[in-house]
Amino acid sequence: MEVGRALVAFAALSQEHRLQIVRLLVVAGPEGMAAGALGTKLSAASPKMSFHLSHLEQAGLIASRRDGRSIRYSIQAAALSGLIGFLLRDCCQGQPEICGPAMADLVQNATCTPTICESVP
């Protein structure tokens, strides 16, 4: 992931509702959630949700698809993986003991479902 794309993703995640949306969609998995269900979970009105969902979609972190009369949103797992990789790419500097504990904690506390993890390159 290049710096410019990472900055756009970080900017999109730097707002509380958008970060909560991403976390909900990670849990929802590939099936995603309807915009209305996301709004209900976050107690946010439709215009506010549309604004936040649009930001996340433009950043490439989520995708939308029509499902009957509603729009479902799902996480773009490869984009999140790329963002995490961007952060950790140079962390070890040839010294795995630096990143080892952080990576072990990340793996140990992961709540990743197999379907999401399988889609991450």
Side-chain angles (χ1 to χ4, degrees), residues 18 21 25 34-36 38-39 46 48-59 62 71 73:
R18 292 193 289 263
I21 289 167
L25 291 176
L38 286 165
S46 290
K48 187 176 197 176
M49 286 303 298
S50 293
F51 173 79
H52 292 308
L53 290 165
S54 175
H55 268 73
L56 291 167
E57 192 165 23
Q58 288 173 0
I62 66 171
I71 298 176
Y73 290 88

Side-chain angles (χ1 to χ4, degrees), residues 15-88:
Q15 198 282 338
E16 183 179 357
H17 280 103
R18 292 193 289 263
L19 184 58
Q20 289 176 334
I21 289 167
V22 167
R23 294 186 75 184
L24 286 170
L25 291 176
V26 165
V27 172
E31 188 173 316
M33 291 179 72
L38 286 165
T40 299
K41 287 259 190 196
L42 297 176
S43 301
S46 290
K48 187 176 197 176
M49 286 303 298
S50 293
F51 173 79
H52 292 308
L53 290 165
S54 175
H55 268 73
L56 291 167
E57 192 165 23
Q58 288 173 0
L61 296 171
I62 66 171
S64 64
R65 69 183 181 285
R66 183 157 293 282
D67 184 17
R69 294 182 52 178
S70 65
I71 298 176
R72 293 189 76 79
Y73 290 88
S74 56
I75 200 73
Q76 293 290 89
L80 280 181
S81 176
L83 196 56
I84 292 166
F86 174 84
L87 286 173
L88 298 178

Side-chain angles (χ1 to χ4, degrees), residues 105-121:
D105 186 55
L106 180 66
V107 170
Q108 180 180 2
N109 293 314
T111 56
C112 189
T113 63
T115 52
I116 291 175
C117 292
E118 289 168 3
S119 65
V120 176

